[in-house]
Amino acid sequence: MNKTKALGLTAAVVGGAVLVRRATAAAALPVPAPLPPPVSRDRTVRTEDGVELSVHEHGEKDSASATVVLAHGYVQSSRLWNGQVRDLVDARPDLRVVTYDHRGHGRSGRTERHRATIQQLGRDLARVVEAVAPTGPVVVGGHSMGGMTVMALAEEHPELFAERIVGAAFVGTSAGELADVTYGLPAPVAKAVKALMPRLNEAAVKAEAKGKARKVGAGDAWMTFPRGADKALVREVLDVHRDCSAETVAAFLPTFSDHDRRTALAALAHVPTVVVVGDRDVLCPLPHSRALADALPTSELTVFPGVGHMVHLERRAEVSRILLSLVDRATTGAPRSLATAPG
Amino acid sequence: MTDLPDHVRVAVIGSGFSGIGTAVRLAQAGEHDVVVLERAGSVGGTWRDNTYPGCACDVPSHLYSFSFAPNPDWSRAFSRQPEIRAYLERVCDDFGVRSQLHLDTELLAGTWDDAAALWRLETSRGPLTADLLVSGCGGLVEPAYPDLPGLETFAGPVFHSARWDHDVDLAGKRIAVIGTGASAIQFVPELQPEADRLVLFQRTPPWVLPRMDREYGQKQKDLFREHPALQRVARTGQYWFREWNLLAFTGKGGLRRKAEQEARKHLERQVPDPELRERLTPDYAIGCKRVLISNDYYPAVSQDNVDVVTSGIAEVRPHAVVDADGVEHEVDVIVLGTGFRVMDIPVAHRLTGREGRTLSEEWQQTGAAAHRGTTVAGFPNLFLLLGPNTALGHSSVVFMIEAQIAYVVKALEALEEYDARALEVRREAQDAYDAQLQAQLETTVWNSGGCRSWYRDEDGRNFTLWPTHTYTFKRQLSRFDAEAYALRTPARVQEPV
């Protein structure tokens, strides 16, 4: 084939592709532009061991009718709650919505290894609640490790759930038995992967010390999203993963195998709760949310078929709505603390 | 009649093709905890309510019947109303759903209880609750009455064709007929011979094609009875012929022009008077409004005792209808052939969803829309048979109803599979479905044919018609697209106060 012919052919193929793209684009919905991050008031909260936590407050500043505190997952950051923050503040400007980065994550300070535990995260959450909402009703919510953090808070401070915390949301999370999770793989394969992970993590820590960035890619996407998920969301989550240090990844991994807080859930028996999960979640699979819902008599369980671990991203509007209705349920019971709130 | 149960798995509203079909299919799927609520004293829906002379179906009967209940005894290609109504009665008996039927039981209000995840229903015979609610109400239910000045002052009888007053003797009377739609075109030829005068008020002339009707002889009926496969062949033939006809509505225009030619020839053959023919000639593309089929309408309106008035109606006086030219037409009876309130079905006012809005209020905001023509965001566990964009201009809606019923059965299975109590379509999924549908409708003759019709709302949005082949609809609804939904299990105990 001569050069002109090849060029012509290429042009035709490209042209055809453009036409096909146009045709499909006409039938599809316009892709919404990425939304700006919500306007936030940033501050830091010091933990008992001196770690500076990066905390973001949104919405009503001084006379909020209630405060919602949202905790993110492992290897992630508060940024992944932005969709809910925006929706909640839009729908209820009277709310104060707070997100924060766990120790070692996002813009928060580093943690010592032995403090990289879910138990410690629970204590940190207690500090955050105390700092951002010294009075008024509080609704806490957590995704994945963030949900486990809420359970740790219930374990450490059950009394809070009678006095201060009037509702809790568990999004794509688990109360225990994570050792049995196979990531949707055949059990022996999963076992091998799990055995390999700590070693890979330590290798990444060493590499990072030498200035080599941690590799984030297909594996992370595969773990967090089902096939065919919205590419923009996958990119967003991988960006956040990239910001997480190899040290943090390695430091927090062991805490999951120790996580078993089913008995701690008793503290939550008298506050309204919601449990939300995607049925394609391979990290905290559906049965874990079912078990959670079974243990929480006041919980409402919502399952989103076809959705993976990042249910609050893949089903942004619906998860926001569920949080809003939880706030409604939690605050209409006129808890003591609300009686002093204005309005 | 048996009392209403306190609670059922599925409550079905209405006992037309949709309601009866749902009860039968649910029973076949093993779900017997079902009630069918019927406001009237017998089944049949629109085929019970429309008893006007000449009432018949415009779709061949072998196609306009349930796939699971073929009827070898259809007397003609296009059966008349009493026969269709009797068919529905017979299906009730043959498939044993009569025990689930609650007649004279009108649904007054239905409210979704989100905490309990069920529908709380008020009926004219007391309350009940239901996990799932299936509306078999359809769009051709509530007569549309025209807003004519002075209509209430008219001294003689006035009635709508869907509420025909059989006590009124029309022989030798001067009759005003308002409207020239699918109903009027059927009853005008019946009234014309006995009327002294018939004044027909026409806003827009319909396109009329020959009605290829014929009687089935005993031999043919026997053949169908002995060889059900032959009947299936007949049905299949009718089905594919109609799917091919669809191209007249959605295609580039070749088939449409041929249809217009045929309709013009039909008009020329049957209406010799060029002046009348002019008035009966549509000025919009064929198919834009519902295409009518008749062999006796044009001959009837050509008779000396018929006036076709096209100027519009200025007012009604005690003994006359005055047209827009100021001509007073003295009449004894007014028959309204003015169709149905498709845009404003009563059930939409009676159902209140999760957010405290009625379906009607919801649709005032969004325009009437439903995911796959069946489910609506904010209205968990509700299924609308013949909901938005499921009507057809080219084939049998019974086919659509059956596709929707299959979807309801799959949805029930999904609830069980996920061990959930409520399912609700996501607004995003519903909007995406609707956007695609509306884009598809844009180029069809229904939207671009240059007419005003009941297919479209005030904003010109087509909320009634399915835009393409019926097999596409069936294929889409043959699987429950769980990813478009949220499945929910409510709290076992409500939080203590």
Side-chain angles (χ1 to χ4, degrees), chain B residues 398-470:
Chain B
V398 179
F399 185 90
M400 303 296 274
I401 290 170
E402 287 198 54
Q404 290 188 285
I405 294 171
Y407 192 65
V408 174
V409 171
K410 296 272 178 203
L412 258 171
E413 287 170 7
L415 276 175
E416 272 152 35
E417 183 194 326
Y418 283 94
D419 194 19
R421 296 269 303 284
L423 55 84
E424 181 181 342
V425 69
R426 296 183 296 113
R427 199 169 295 278
E428 229 177 345
Q430 181 185 325
D431 289 350
Y433 173 85
D434 187 57
Q436 211 212 347
L437 208 77
Q438 293 301 329
Q440 244 179 315
L441 280 162
E442 218 149 87
T443 54
T444 64
V445 72
W446 303 304
N447 281 32
S448 62
C451 76
R452 167 177 145 183
S453 77
W454 58 263
Y455 295 148
R456 299 197 291 158
D457 65 17
E458 296 95 333
D459 304 326
R461 184 174 162 280
N462 190 326
F463 68 100
T464 56
L465 287 173
W466 172 245
T468 181
H469 290 286
T470 58

Side-chain angles (χ1 to χ4, degrees), chain A residues 279 290 294 300-301 303 315, chain B residues 418 483 487-489 492:
Chain A
D279 77 343
R290 276 199 200 292
D294 285 344
E300 181 192 273
L301 169 67
V303 180
R315 293 292 180 260
Chain B
Y418 283 94
E483 62 283 359
L487 289 111
R488 213 162 55 82
T489 310
R492 292 193 300 287

